[in-house]
Amino acid sequence: MAEEKLRRTTVADVARLAGVSAMTVSNVLNAPHRVSEPTVRTVRAAIDELGYIPNHAARALSSGRSQVIGLPLYFEDEENPGLGGFLHGLLGGLVKAAALSGYGVHVTTPTDGSTEIALYEKLIAARQVDAIVVLETMPHDERIEFLSRRRFPFVAFGRTGSTQRQCWVDVDNETSMAGIAQHLQSTGRKRAVYLATDSALPWVHQRRDGFVREFPSTVVRSFASLEAVAAYVDEVETPDVFVADNDAFAVVAMRSLQRRGIAVGEDVAVTGFNDFPFASMLDTPLTTARIPLRDIATCLFDRALREISGEPDAPGRLVTAPLVVRSSA
């Protein structure tokens, strides 16, 4: 009896308790996207009940894989308000999703004078990771071109080009911003000024297009800095609503209006996008769209597993950012 208690719990034990095959348990651990969500929950409950701990070292040796995915972070704008919270939320979700399948996340950054692609070269040459997560992709992105040429598994947060592998997850910026427009129209707002980021990043244009499509009379203005937003709102004749494509611009607009003695949420509405942690803590809490980082992280990891397994290409995945209505609108 003592020997039985000391015996290591096996995949077969988990399969028996969950009422599934050993292969299904293996898929839940290594490729959960192949298994239905109810079955994944059943198997994971059995794993928790039995205290099963996969032998990751043995699995890595037998498969030739590291059981690690790489997340290179390249901070080009360290002063971007809310960036730290955004990356923390994404990283936390990715680590959790990976851990459930026995994977780790290797976070690294290019050294001074190096490039992100040079970092990819090192990760691949050292066989440190099984796949790489690429952030903020652009059309004709050289990072995607490089990984495609090397035939190395990757998943992108942001859409890849139409001729490239569609292994990406992205925010459905157009639909999400259209939802803000519909909400504002339902509250009787008729004159909108849209505060856009002056950037070539795809999400900037996706959000603008989604809003203007639903609210055609919108006046669009682009800004390269928070100071420029403040100067504009200080001087412009106030509309019914200022719609910002990010929370930082929205907060600056709110402060400018308050300095002018204008009641935000009553005289003028203000909305943002992202739902950074400070959005709900303002004197007038901000109406915004919440980017579901944990959901996105789970989708990124599941898609990375598909790439690692060499499965056929599939369409990219859009995730809607739900509207969070607060006092500002």
Side-chain angles (χ1 to χ4, degrees):
M1 179 64 70
E3 289 183 0
E4 182 65 24
K5 288 183 178 179
L6 292 173
R7 183 177 66 84
R8 183 185 180 93
T9 302
T10 66
V11 167
D13 297 325
V14 175
R16 192 178 304 112
L17 179 60
V20 299
S21 68
M23 179 59 72
T24 298
V25 176
S26 178
N27 280 334
V28 169
L29 292 171
N30 301 305
H33 57 277
R34 297 178 179 174
V35 186
S36 69
E37 189 59 36
T39 301
V40 170
R41 289 195 295 268
T42 299
V43 171
R44 286 178 175 163
I47 289 171
D48 290 341
E49 182 176 337
L50 293 174
Y52 173 66
I53 301 175
N55 189 337
H56 301 312
R59 189 194 312 171
L61 285 171
S62 64
S63 66
R65 295 174 182 167
S66 66
Q67 301 296 124
V68 175
I69 61 171
L71 179 63
L73 300 179
Y74 196 26
F75 296 101
E76 294 183 351
D77 183 6
E78 295 180 351
E79 296 182 356
N80 186 348
L83 179 61
F86 180 87
L87 292 176
H88 182 270
L90 181 67
L91 176 59
L94 197 59
V95 168
K96 183 175 181 180
L100 290 172
S101 292
Y103 263 77
V105 179
H106 177 52
V107 180
T108 184
T109 189
T111 55
D112 291 342
S114 184
T115 66
E116 194 167 334
I117 288 178
L119 179 58
Y120 293 175
E121 287 274 22
K122 291 181 180 179
L123 292 173
I124 295 170
R127 299 184 179 180
Q128 288 181 278
V129 298
D130 297 332
I132 290 175
V133 180
V134 184
L135 302 180
E136 288 193 323
T137 54
M138 297 283 288
H140 313 295
D141 196 306
E142 62 179 2
R143 298 169 300 171
I144 303 300
E145 296 288 352
F146 168 79
L147 291 169
S148 298
R149 287 195 305 271
R150 292 296 301 268
R151 298 182 182 274
F152 193 79
F154 70 89
V155 60
F157 184 13
R159 284 160 247 197
T160 57
S162 59
T163 61
Q164 297 167 331
R165 285 187 64 81
Q166 297 300 294
C167 45
W168 55 262
V169 180
D170 198 14
V171 178
D172 191 344
N173 290 293
E174 291 191 27
T175 299
S176 302
M177 192 58 93
I180 293 178
Q182 292 162 2
H183 166 71
L184 293 170
Q185 289 174 326
S186 74
T187 61
R189 310 288 177 175
K190 299 184 182 301
R191 295 182 300 117
V193 170
Y194 188 91
L195 309 175
T197 303
D198 187 5
S199 171
L201 288 170
W203 62 260
V204 171
H205 305 284
Q206 293 160 6
R207 292 179 191 178
R208 179 200 63 203
D209 293 347
F211 188 86
V212 172
R213 185 180 68 240
E214 294 293 325
F215 212 127
S217 61
T218 300
V219 174
V220 178
R221 295 288 182 267
S222 296
F223 304 92
S225 68
L226 300 177
E227 293 75 15
V229 174
Y232 175 77
V233 178
D234 281 344
E235 300 296 334
V236 72
E237 180 182 351
T238 54
D240 293 338
V241 57
F242 284 104
V243 179
D245 68 10
N246 66 85
D247 288 347
F249 278 13
V251 171
V252 169
M254 290 171 66
R255 288 176 177 170
S256 295
L257 291 169
Q258 289 162 350
R259 284 196 299 269
R260 294 172 58 186
I262 297 170
V264 175
E266 298 176 16
D267 301 332
V268 179
V270 178
T271 67
F273 201 108
N274 286 330
D275 198 28
F276 287 147
F278 59 72
S280 63
M281 303 176 189
L282 303 168
D283 290 338
T284 304
L286 179 64
T287 293
T288 185
R290 174 180 296 154
I291 295 181
L293 292 173
R294 294 300 174 96
D295 293 343
I296 289 170
T298 298
C299 292
L300 283 169
F301 180 72
D302 288 349
R303 193 56 190 263
L305 285 183
R306 290 178 60 95
E307 294 301 306
I308 292 167
S309 301
E311 297 191 13
D313 201 14
R317 174 78 178 272
L318 287 173
V319 180
T320 302
L323 175 65
V324 181
V325 178
R326 300 191 181 105
S327 306
S328 73

